[in-house]
Amino acid sequence: MKSSSTKISRELSRAADILNKDGVVGIPTETVYGLAASIFSKEGISKIFKVKERPSFDPLIVHISNLHQKEDIVREWPALAEILAKNFWPGPLTMVLKKNTKLNSMITSGLDTVGIRMPKHSVALELIDQVGPLAAPSANKFGKTSPTSAEHVKSEFKEEVFVLNGGTCEVGLESTVIAIEDTKILILRPGMISEKMLRDATPHARISYAESSASPGHLKHHYQPKIPLYIFEGEVSAETISSQIQNQNWKELELDTSPAIAARQLYESMRKLSNKKLDALIVLKKPNHSSADWLPIWDRLTRASSKTY
Ligand code: TXA
Ligand code: MG
């Protein structure tokens, strides 16, 4: 045990050193790995967009390790934010709030708001304790599948990026993103903090879902694996699938019956299967997948897919 904790503290200091010198680092979180830079480093922030090939109109999420840090980031802290932070932080919930005017506007793509969250991962929290808040999108090239292990990040960016290894991500899907205005909560990106969980924590809030294009960067086509993914609804035979997609060289991406486990495994399965010599991936949408627990998983699968049959 001792040697592994020595190793992690050595890697933590290396990561802190790179971040303090305007660099970017791959960091573990409970959702997916992030590509991080210090919010105080202009150069680091611009490197994120460059390395990720991310368009500048897509804002980054700021990660904090304690509530005092929010002062440099937001200029308002509504009562709802306080309740939600108490209930769900550290955890997979990003709140979009009015930004502090001093915060680098590259992080927010020029918007007047900023996404902020406290990740539930001891290594990430320790790193943020050392170097301060970190801006980080998911650590994948723009539009591609998010990484849920250090190996995924390394294979995406090769030698270009140092990756702090914190094991496999427990949640496996990106955080729920919500905008807060007065007593209203708008769900911009569904995630494992569900509408029901938000409702239970804030019975007086009005909760609704944004149009799917409301969150900049959360585009129709996103999370895409290297080969096309097709969704089939209802009972279909292998013959039907082959004839519909006019190809026999496909494989089913199977989903676990538990949504929490299916979420954890989703991106790993997508990556693994698309590295095989296949022409397509198939996902079967079953009747029980219509329940609320499956919403974030099907949000990502639909965006990753080329077509639904
Ligand atoms: O779980 C996560 O959220 C991961 C880990 C690394 O924290 N991060 C992540 O970042 O998924 P990213 O950049 O891939 O997705 C963040 C999304 C953006 O696409 C953007 O739409 C939304 O959050 N977002 C960020 N700031 C926003 C803002 N000010 N207004 C509206 N949406 C915002
Ligand atoms: Mg992303």
Side-chain angles (χ1 to χ4, degrees):
M1 282 316 282
K2 184 147 190 295
S3 70
S4 82
S5 71
T6 315
K7 181 160 182 255
I8 192 74
S9 70
R10 228 185 13 243
E11 296 205 339
L12 264 165
S13 358
R14 176 156 175 214
D17 197 46
I18 296 170
L19 292 166
N20 286 330
K21 289 180 179 146
D22 300 311
V24 297
V25 168
I27 61 159
T29 82
E30 82 283 31
T31 57
V32 300
Y33 273 70
L35 185 66
S38 163
I39 61 163
F40 304 115
S41 168
K42 264 194 192 144
E43 214 180 311
I45 302 296
S46 83
K47 270 183 202 157
I48 292 179
F49 286 92
K50 211 167 113 207
V51 171
K52 200 180 142 90
E53 296 163 19
R54 183 181 178 104
S56 59
F57 62 75
D58 193 1
L60 310 177
I61 292 173
V62 174
H63 299 72
I64 59 173
S65 60
N66 68 67
L67 279 179
H68 298 294
Q69 291 167 336
K70 73 182 190 303
E71 306 302 328
D72 285 329
I73 298 153
V74 302
R75 69 170 185 275
E76 278 174 21
W77 186 247
L80 264 185
E82 179 72 21
I83 297 171
L84 292 171
K86 278 217 171 86
N87 277 272
F88 301 114
W89 281 2
L93 179 71
T94 297
M95 295 196 256
V96 171
L97 297 165
K98 297 253 163 57
K99 89 183 257 286
N100 182 317
T101 46
K102 279 182 281 182
L103 185 73
N104 182 341
S105 62
M106 231 191 317
I107 295 173
T108 57
S109 302
L111 298 173
D112 188 40
T113 53
V114 59
I116 179 172
R117 83 177 190 100
M118 192 186 290
K120 191 176 184 174
H121 195 294
S122 58
V123 175
L125 292 171
E126 170 126 27
L127 181 66
I128 300 167
D129 276 345
Q130 288 186 26
V131 299
L134 297 175
S138 53
N140 49 279
K141 297 268 183 189
F142 185 69
K144 300 298 178 193
T145 309
S146 299
T148 52
S149 72
E151 289 69 34
H152 294 168
V153 186
K154 285 177 194 159
S155 75
E156 192 105 352
F157 299 111
K158 307 282 183 293
E159 303 303 308
E160 220 177 339
V161 173
F162 172 70
V163 186
L164 189 54
N165 194 339
T168 306
C169 302
E170 208 180 314
V171 175
L173 278 194
E174 304 80 0
S175 61
T176 304
V177 179
I178 59 168
I180 297 179
E181 260 181 64
D182 305 323
T183 57
K184 280 189 289 186
I185 295 176
L186 193 61
I187 301 175
L188 301 176
R189 178 175 72 184
M192 298 310 273
I193 302 289
S194 65
E195 180 193 341
K196 176 167 190 313
M197 290 160 79
L198 294 169
R199 201 174 288 290
D200 288 347
T202 60
H204 301 296
R206 278 186 294 153
I207 305 181
S208 57
Y209 287 89
E211 296 284 312
S212 64
S213 58
S215 201
H218 199 215
L219 307 173
K220 167 75 185 76
H221 291 291
H222 219 112
Y223 313 106
Q224 289 188 323
K226 284 196 266 179
I227 51 176
L229 182 146
Y230 301 110
I231 297 172
F232 278 82
E233 289 179 336
E235 292 284 313
V236 275
S237 66
E239 290 74 32
T240 309
I241 293 172
S242 298
S243 84
Q244 290 269 1
I245 67 168
Q246 297 180 356
N247 195 309
Q248 296 189 342
N249 187 27
W250 54 268
K251 221 174 155 90
E252 182 189 345
L253 190 168
E254 289 183 47
L255 301 173
D256 193 90
T257 52
S258 143
I261 298 173
R264 191 177 305 149
Q265 297 173 341
L266 182 67
Y267 292 146
E268 163 74 16
S269 310
M270 266 166 66
R271 277 173 189 263
K272 237 194 204 143
L273 287 174
S274 57
N275 282 331
K276 296 204 161 130
K277 291 201 172 76
L278 294 168
D279 295 323
L281 295 182
I282 303 298
V283 194
L284 301 179
K285 187 160 189 181
K286 302 184 176 159
N288 66 310
H289 290 159
S290 303
S291 76
D293 290 346
W294 286 91
L295 184 79
I297 297 169
W298 283 96
D299 171 76
R300 305 307 191 273
L301 279 170
T302 308
R303 288 170 204 277
S305 69
S306 307
K307 190 169 173 177
T308 296
Y309 289 90

